[in-house]
Amino acid sequence: MTPLLQFKEGSSRPALVTGAAGGIGAATARALAEHGASVVVSDIDARAVNAVAQQITAAGGKAIPLVLDVADPQSWQRARERVHDELGALSILVNNAGIDVVKSVANTTLEEWDRLFRVNSTAMFIGTQCFLDDLDQAGRDSGVRSSVINMSSICGNIGVAFQSAYCATKGAVRMFTKAAAVEFGSLQLQVRINSIHPGTVDTAFAADCLRQLGEAGFAPSPEEARAAIKAAHPIGDMATGDEIADSIVYLASDLARFVTGSELMVDGGYTAQ
Ligand SMILES: NC(=O)c1ccc[n+]([C@@H]2O[C@H](COP(=O)([O-])OP(=O)(O)OC[C@H]3O[C@@H](n4cnc5c(N)ncnc54)[C@H](O)[C@@H]3O)[C@@H](O)[C@H]2O)c1
């Protein structure tokens, strides 16, 4: 059987993951490679992308490290040229990079609001636009629709105190994705686009968020906040990066060939309550 992320004739599907230096992004890069994709491992952290790419290569996968600042349109253009030269037209784009601010509405600065939108939302638009022709071309050439996966969160669906700016950026990801899916369909582009909505994932990002909530007096100690967060998910735990990565592999693959404009909740039941 052909691996999930190879084309029918057996060649690897070119994929790019942003924010892939650690956490969910690194797990996603590893999972895409395990399923047969050639993965561009991108982040602003040059040393870490090299390490993740080396790890994938050592395990027998195909990976290229790339420094990409998602907030910078020129950085995206350089990435497009490099991917095109080395792998051809991109087939899978995972807009994963993200940052957080844990503050009340009253204390969030305009600079923080703008920066959060730039990295969490605007970057997804820049990246999708930058690679759209390539994604469509890859879909036409291979007969397999290309796939864009945008990282939202449960915070794109529900409100969370002291995370208003973050929630707003993730809501923007959710609605851009739906509008783009309808448009791509109407233009008959060979590109699917979906958003993914994790609950709390046990990464440095979540630990930092819990620490900030504790320090600001919004939550008890980080340990108590951690236990409370686990209990808030009906499944009784936080997710691992690998658990989110597996759902991204699904959306990237032909198992999801009729799935576009959808929001995939991977939240241990958090938003089912
Ligand atoms: N951890 C969670 O609980 C959780 C839950 C839901 C959604 N998410 C989302 O998942 C994504 C990944 O989160 P994570 O938990 O792996 O966090 P993480 O902090 O481990 O990883 C985020 C990565 O993004 C990179 N990054 C930041 N700014 C960048 C920029 N301008 N250009 C390129 N890369 C940049 C960082 O260097 C880092 O490697 C984020 O979009 C986050 O909002 C996380």
Side-chain angles (χ1 to χ4, degrees), residues 234-267:
I235 235 168
D237 207 347
M238 297 188 213
T240 64
D242 290 338
E243 284 164 341
I244 308 305
D246 284 349
S247 295
I248 291 174
V249 168
Y250 159 71
L251 286 174
S253 79
D254 292 357
L255 295 177
R257 60 194 173 279
F258 202 64
V259 181
T260 194
S262 79
E263 49 190 89
L264 181 55
M265 309 308 300
V266 192
D267 66 352

mmCIF file of all heavy atoms in Angstrom, residues 234-267:
data_model
loop_
_atom_site.group_PDB
_atom_site.id
_atom_site.type_symbol
_atom_site.label_atom_id
_atom_site.label_comp_id
_atom_site.label_asym_id
_atom_site.label_seq_id
_atom_site.Cartn_x
_atom_site.Cartn_y
_atom_site.Cartn_z
ATOM 1 N N PRO A 234 -12.654 16.340 29.371
ATOM 2 C CA PRO A 234 -13.348 15.107 29.751
ATOM 3 C C PRO A 234 -12.488 13.846 29.655
ATOM 4 O O PRO A 234 -12.656 12.913 30.435
ATOM 5 C CB PRO A 234 -14.518 15.053 28.768
ATOM 6 C CG PRO A 234 -14.835 16.493 28.533
ATOM 7 C CD PRO A 234 -13.491 17.186 28.506
ATOM 8 N N ILE A 235 -11.518 13.844 28.759
ATOM 9 C CA ILE A 235 -10.652 12.672 28.618
ATOM 10 C C ILE A 235 -9.700 12.567 29.814
ATOM 11 O O ILE A 235 -9.067 11.539 30.037
ATOM 12 C CB ILE A 235 -9.922 12.737 27.254
ATOM 13 C CG1 ILE A 235 -10.179 11.475 26.454
ATOM 14 C CG2 ILE A 235 -8.453 13.035 27.386
ATOM 15 C CD1 ILE A 235 -9.759 11.526 24.997
ATOM 16 N N GLY A 236 -9.573 13.645 30.612
ATOM 17 C CA GLY A 236 -8.823 13.608 31.862
ATOM 18 C C GLY A 236 -7.344 13.903 31.736
ATOM 19 O O GLY A 236 -6.574 13.626 32.660
ATOM 20 N N ASP A 237 -6.934 14.485 30.622
ATOM 21 C CA ASP A 237 -5.499 14.767 30.443
ATOM 22 C C ASP A 237 -5.333 15.885 29.422
ATOM 23 O O ASP A 237 -6.281 16.243 28.721
ATOM 24 C CB ASP A 237 -4.784 13.493 29.947
ATOM 25 C CG ASP A 237 -3.320 13.464 30.355
ATOM 26 O OD1 ASP A 237 -2.792 14.508 30.797
ATOM 27 O OD2 ASP A 237 -2.703 12.400 30.232
ATOM 28 N N MET A 238 -4.087 16.400 29.346
ATOM 29 C CA MET A 238 -3.731 17.263 28.220
ATOM 30 C C MET A 238 -3.350 16.358 27.052
ATOM 31 O O MET A 238 -3.035 15.178 27.245
ATOM 32 C CB MET A 238 -2.506 18.104 28.555
ATOM 33 C CG MET A 238 -2.688 19.064 29.686
ATOM 34 S SD MET A 238 -1.210 20.110 29.751
ATOM 35 C CE MET A 238 -1.105 20.381 31.503
ATOM 36 N N ALA A 239 -3.325 16.944 25.846
ATOM 37 C CA ALA A 239 -2.861 16.184 24.674
ATOM 38 C C ALA A 239 -1.340 16.202 24.622
ATOM 39 O O ALA A 239 -0.700 17.076 25.214
ATOM 40 C CB ALA A 239 -3.420 16.810 23.404
ATOM 41 N N THR A 240 -0.763 15.249 23.900
ATOM 42 C CA THR A 240 0.648 15.334 23.535
ATOM 43 C C THR A 240 0.727 15.955 22.136
ATOM 44 O O THR A 240 -0.269 15.942 21.391
ATOM 45 C CB THR A 240 1.297 13.941 23.478
ATOM 46 O OG1 THR A 240 0.665 13.188 22.428
ATOM 47 C CG2 THR A 240 1.141 13.199 24.803
ATOM 48 N N GLY A 241 1.902 16.458 21.803
ATOM 49 C CA GLY A 241 2.092 16.988 20.448
ATOM 50 C C GLY A 241 1.811 15.933 19.399
ATOM 51 O O GLY A 241 1.241 16.211 18.341
ATOM 52 N N ASP A 242 2.185 14.690 19.685
ATOM 53 C CA ASP A 242 1.977 13.594 18.717
ATOM 54 C C ASP A 242 0.494 13.364 18.448
ATOM 55 O O ASP A 242 0.099 13.001 17.334
ATOM 56 C CB ASP A 242 2.598 12.299 19.241
ATOM 57 C CG ASP A 242 4.114 12.354 19.250
ATOM 58 O OD1 ASP A 242 4.693 13.160 18.495
ATOM 59 O OD2 ASP A 242 4.730 11.593 20.036
ATOM 60 N N GLU A 243 -0.330 13.551 19.473
ATOM 61 C CA GLU A 243 -1.774 13.333 19.274
ATOM 62 C C GLU A 243 -2.362 14.383 18.326
ATOM 63 O O GLU A 243 -3.254 14.082 17.529
ATOM 64 C CB GLU A 243 -2.496 13.324 20.633
ATOM 65 C CG GLU A 243 -2.255 11.994 21.353
ATOM 66 C CD GLU A 243 -2.583 12.006 22.832
ATOM 67 O OE1 GLU A 243 -2.663 13.082 23.448
ATOM 68 O OE2 GLU A 243 -2.747 10.909 23.389
ATOM 69 N N ILE A 244 -1.844 15.596 18.407
ATOM 70 C CA ILE A 244 -2.305 16.632 17.466
ATOM 71 C C ILE A 244 -1.724 16.352 16.078
ATOM 72 O O ILE A 244 -2.415 16.458 15.058
ATOM 73 C CB ILE A 244 -1.891 18.047 17.952
ATOM 74 C CG1 ILE A 244 -2.330 18.259 19.420
ATOM 75 C CG2 ILE A 244 -2.455 19.117 17.036
ATOM 76 C CD1 ILE A 244 -3.802 18.035 19.699
ATOM 77 N N ALA A 245 -0.453 15.958 16.044
ATOM 78 C CA ALA A 245 0.218 15.688 14.763
ATOM 79 C C ALA A 245 -0.516 14.611 13.971
ATOM 80 O O ALA A 245 -0.653 14.709 12.745
ATOM 81 C CB ALA A 245 1.666 15.269 15.022
ATOM 82 N N ASP A 246 -1.003 13.572 14.639
ATOM 83 C CA ASP A 246 -1.713 12.500 13.925
ATOM 84 C C ASP A 246 -2.974 13.021 13.239
ATOM 85 O O ASP A 246 -3.321 12.585 12.135
ATOM 86 C CB ASP A 246 -2.077 11.362 14.897
ATOM 87 C CG ASP A 246 -0.874 10.494 15.245
ATOM 88 O OD1 ASP A 246 0.184 10.642 14.580
ATOM 89 O OD2 ASP A 246 -0.976 9.679 16.176
ATOM 90 N N SER A 247 -3.660 13.965 13.892
ATOM 91 C CA SER A 247 -4.858 14.543 13.273
ATOM 92 C C SER A 247 -4.480 15.413 12.074
ATOM 93 O O SER A 247 -5.232 15.505 11.102
ATOM 94 C CB SER A 247 -5.639 15.369 14.296
ATOM 95 O OG SER A 247 -6.124 14.519 15.306
ATOM 96 N N ILE A 248 -3.316 16.044 12.161
ATOM 97 C CA ILE A 248 -2.840 16.850 11.022
ATOM 98 C C ILE A 248 -2.490 15.931 9.851
ATOM 99 O O ILE A 248 -2.786 16.245 8.692
ATOM 100 C CB ILE A 248 -1.651 17.736 11.463
ATOM 101 C CG1 ILE A 248 -2.165 18.812 12.437
ATOM 102 C CG2 ILE A 248 -0.948 18.362 10.262
ATOM 103 C CD1 ILE A 248 -1.103 19.680 13.071
ATOM 104 N N VAL A 249 -1.895 14.784 10.131
ATOM 105 C CA VAL A 249 -1.609 13.806 9.065
ATOM 106 C C VAL A 249 -2.919 13.412 8.376
ATOM 107 O O VAL A 249 -2.998 13.335 7.143
ATOM 108 C CB VAL A 249 -0.893 12.554 9.630
ATOM 109 C CG1 VAL A 249 -0.866 11.425 8.599
ATOM 110 C CG2 VAL A 249 0.525 12.912 10.070
ATOM 111 N N TYR A 250 -3.951 13.182 9.167
ATOM 112 C CA TYR A 250 -5.259 12.827 8.581
ATOM 113 C C TYR A 250 -5.723 13.925 7.618
ATOM 114 O O TYR A 250 -6.074 13.647 6.461
ATOM 115 C CB TYR A 250 -6.283 12.603 9.699
ATOM 116 C CG TYR A 250 -7.712 12.727 9.235
ATOM 117 C CD1 TYR A 250 -8.288 11.750 8.415
ATOM 118 C CD2 TYR A 250 -8.482 13.843 9.577
ATOM 119 C CE1 TYR A 250 -9.597 11.893 7.961
ATOM 120 C CE2 TYR A 250 -9.780 13.986 9.129
ATOM 121 C CZ TYR A 250 -10.332 13.004 8.314
ATOM 122 O OH TYR A 250 -11.610 13.159 7.860
ATOM 123 N N LEU A 251 -5.710 15.191 8.087
ATOM 124 C CA LEU A 251 -6.193 16.284 7.232
ATOM 125 C C LEU A 251 -5.315 16.454 5.987
ATOM 126 O O LEU A 251 -5.802 16.862 4.936
ATOM 127 C CB LEU A 251 -6.233 17.602 8.021
ATOM 128 C CG LEU A 251 -7.358 17.725 9.047
ATOM 129 C CD1 LEU A 251 -7.204 19.009 9.866
ATOM 130 C CD2 LEU A 251 -8.740 17.695 8.373
ATOM 131 N N ALA A 252 -4.035 16.141 6.115
ATOM 132 C CA ALA A 252 -3.121 16.276 4.979
ATOM 133 C C ALA A 252 -3.336 15.169 3.958
ATOM 134 O O ALA A 252 -3.044 15.343 2.771
ATOM 135 C CB ALA A 252 -1.673 16.244 5.472
ATOM 136 N N SER A 253 -3.859 14.048 4.400
ATOM 137 C CA SER A 253 -3.896 12.848 3.544
ATOM 138 C C SER A 253 -5.199 12.732 2.758
ATOM 139 O O SER A 253 -6.166 13.460 3.009
ATOM 140 C CB SER A 253 -3.752 11.607 4.429
ATOM 141 O OG SER A 253 -4.991 11.305 5.039
ATOM 142 N N ASP A 254 -5.224 11.766 1.858
ATOM 143 C CA ASP A 254 -6.439 11.527 1.066
ATOM 144 C C ASP A 254 -7.552 10.883 1.879
ATOM 145 O O ASP A 254 -8.680 10.764 1.390
ATOM 146 C CB ASP A 254 -6.119 10.629 -0.133
ATOM 147 C CG ASP A 254 -5.236 11.365 -1.111
ATOM 148 O OD1 ASP A 254 -4.945 12.553 -0.864
ATOM 149 O OD2 ASP A 254 -4.838 10.760 -2.107
ATOM 150 N N LEU A 255 -7.262 10.453 3.097
ATOM 151 C CA LEU A 255 -8.349 9.986 3.970
ATOM 152 C C LEU A 255 -9.344 11.135 4.187
ATOM 153 O O LEU A 255 -10.525 10.907 4.453
ATOM 154 C CB LEU A 255 -7.810 9.508 5.321
ATOM 155 C CG LEU A 255 -6.907 8.279 5.285
ATOM 156 C CD1 LEU A 255 -6.389 7.964 6.681
ATOM 157 C CD2 LEU A 255 -7.654 7.073 4.708
ATOM 158 N N ALA A 256 -8.836 12.372 4.058
ATOM 159 C CA ALA A 256 -9.682 13.558 4.255
ATOM 160 C C ALA A 256 -9.979 14.235 2.908
ATOM 161 O O ALA A 256 -10.209 15.442 2.863
ATOM 162 C CB ALA A 256 -8.987 14.535 5.203
ATOM 163 N N ARG A 257 -10.009 13.437 1.820
ATOM 164 C CA ARG A 257 -10.092 14.049 0.487
ATOM 165 C C ARG A 257 -11.381 14.833 0.233
ATOM 166 O O ARG A 257 -11.422 15.663 -0.664
ATOM 167 C CB ARG A 257 -9.886 12.996 -0.605
ATOM 168 C CG ARG A 257 -10.893 11.869 -0.611
ATOM 169 C CD ARG A 257 -10.407 10.718 -1.504
ATOM 170 N NE ARG A 257 -11.272 9.555 -1.409
ATOM 171 C CZ ARG A 257 -11.203 8.659 -0.414
ATOM 172 N NH1 ARG A 257 -10.312 8.790 0.555
ATOM 173 N NH2 ARG A 257 -12.018 7.625 -0.401
ATOM 174 N N PHE A 258 -12.446 14.580 1.003
ATOM 175 C CA PHE A 258 -13.699 15.338 0.822
ATOM 176 C C PHE A 258 -13.887 16.346 1.960
ATOM 177 O O PHE A 258 -14.954 16.914 2.140
ATOM 178 C CB PHE A 258 -14.891 14.365 0.748
ATOM 179 C CG PHE A 258 -16.095 14.952 0.061
ATOM 180 C CD1 PHE A 258 -16.040 15.318 -1.280
ATOM 181 C CD2 PHE A 258 -17.281 15.165 0.752
ATOM 182 C CE1 PHE A 258 -17.140 15.876 -1.921
ATOM 183 C CE2 PHE A 258 -18.396 15.729 0.125
ATOM 184 C CZ PHE A 258 -18.320 16.082 -1.219
ATOM 185 N N VAL A 259 -12.820 16.577 2.726
ATOM 186 C CA VAL A 259 -12.912 17.471 3.892
ATOM 187 C C VAL A 259 -12.269 18.812 3.559
ATOM 188 O O VAL A 259 -11.065 18.893 3.317
ATOM 189 C CB VAL A 259 -12.200 16.840 5.115
ATOM 190 C CG1 VAL A 259 -12.319 17.755 6.337
ATOM 191 C CG2 VAL A 259 -12.767 15.456 5.422
ATOM 192 N N THR A 260 -13.081 19.864 3.518
ATOM 193 C CA THR A 260 -12.540 21.220 3.352
ATOM 194 C C THR A 260 -13.454 22.202 4.073
ATOM 195 O O THR A 260 -14.659 21.968 4.174
ATOM 196 C CB THR A 260 -12.356 21.577 1.860
ATOM 197 O OG1 THR A 260 -11.528 22.745 1.760
ATOM 198 C CG2 THR A 260 -13.678 21.840 1.147
ATOM 199 N N GLY A 261 -12.861 23.259 4.618
ATOM 200 C CA GLY A 261 -13.640 24.263 5.358
ATOM 201 C C GLY A 261 -14.081 23.771 6.727
ATOM 202 O O GLY A 261 -14.884 24.420 7.397
ATOM 203 N N SER A 262 -13.534 22.656 7.161
ATOM 204 C CA SER A 262 -13.989 22.099 8.446
ATOM 205 C C SER A 262 -13.083 22.562 9.585
ATOM 206 O O SER A 262 -11.953 23.000 9.364
ATOM 207 C CB SER A 262 -14.019 20.575 8.399
ATOM 208 O OG SER A 262 -12.719 20.074 8.553
ATOM 209 N N GLU A 263 -13.600 22.457 10.809
ATOM 210 C CA GLU A 263 -12.807 22.742 12.007
ATOM 211 C C GLU A 263 -12.731 21.434 12.786
ATOM 212 O O GLU A 263 -13.749 20.920 13.253
ATOM 213 C CB GLU A 263 -13.460 23.854 12.831
ATOM 214 C CG GLU A 263 -14.938 23.648 13.089
ATOM 215 C CD GLU A 263 -15.600 24.879 13.694
ATOM 216 O OE1 GLU A 263 -16.063 25.731 12.920
ATOM 217 O OE2 GLU A 263 -15.668 24.971 14.927
ATOM 218 N N LEU A 264 -11.544 20.881 12.883
ATOM 219 C CA LEU A 264 -11.382 19.585 13.556
ATOM 220 C C LEU A 264 -11.010 19.831 15.015
ATOM 221 O O LEU A 264 -9.914 20.323 15.324
ATOM 222 C CB LEU A 264 -10.297 18.764 12.840
ATOM 223 C CG LEU A 264 -10.020 17.373 13.406
ATOM 224 C CD1 LEU A 264 -11.292 16.531 13.474
ATOM 225 C CD2 LEU A 264 -8.965 16.654 12.573
ATOM 226 N N MET A 265 -11.952 19.506 15.929
ATOM 227 C CA MET A 265 -11.690 19.655 17.356
ATOM 228 C C MET A 265 -10.871 18.439 17.811
ATOM 229 O O MET A 265 -11.307 17.305 17.632
ATOM 230 C CB MET A 265 -12.990 19.696 18.158
ATOM 231 C CG MET A 265 -14.037 20.688 17.665
ATOM 232 S SD MET A 265 -13.494 22.392 17.439
ATOM 233 C CE MET A 265 -12.961 22.823 19.091
ATOM 234 N N VAL A 266 -9.692 18.691 18.370
ATOM 235 C CA VAL A 266 -8.866 17.603 18.920
ATOM 236 C C VAL A 266 -8.608 18.003 20.369
ATOM 237 O O VAL A 266 -7.507 18.389 20.751
ATOM 238 C CB VAL A 266 -7.556 17.442 18.121
ATOM 239 C CG1 VAL A 266 -6.844 16.141 18.505
ATOM 240 C CG2 VAL A 266 -7.823 17.445 16.625
ATOM 241 N N ASP A 267 -9.662 17.929 21.166
ATOM 242 C CA ASP A 267 -9.648 18.628 22.454
ATOM 243 C C ASP A 267 -10.070 17.757 23.637
ATOM 244 O O ASP A 267 -10.448 18.293 24.689
ATOM 245 C CB ASP A 267 -10.536 19.883 22.377
ATOM 246 C CG ASP A 267 -12.009 19.555 22.190
ATOM 247 O OD1 ASP A 267 -12.335 18.373 21.973
ATOM 248 O OD2 ASP A 267 -12.828 20.486 22.251
#
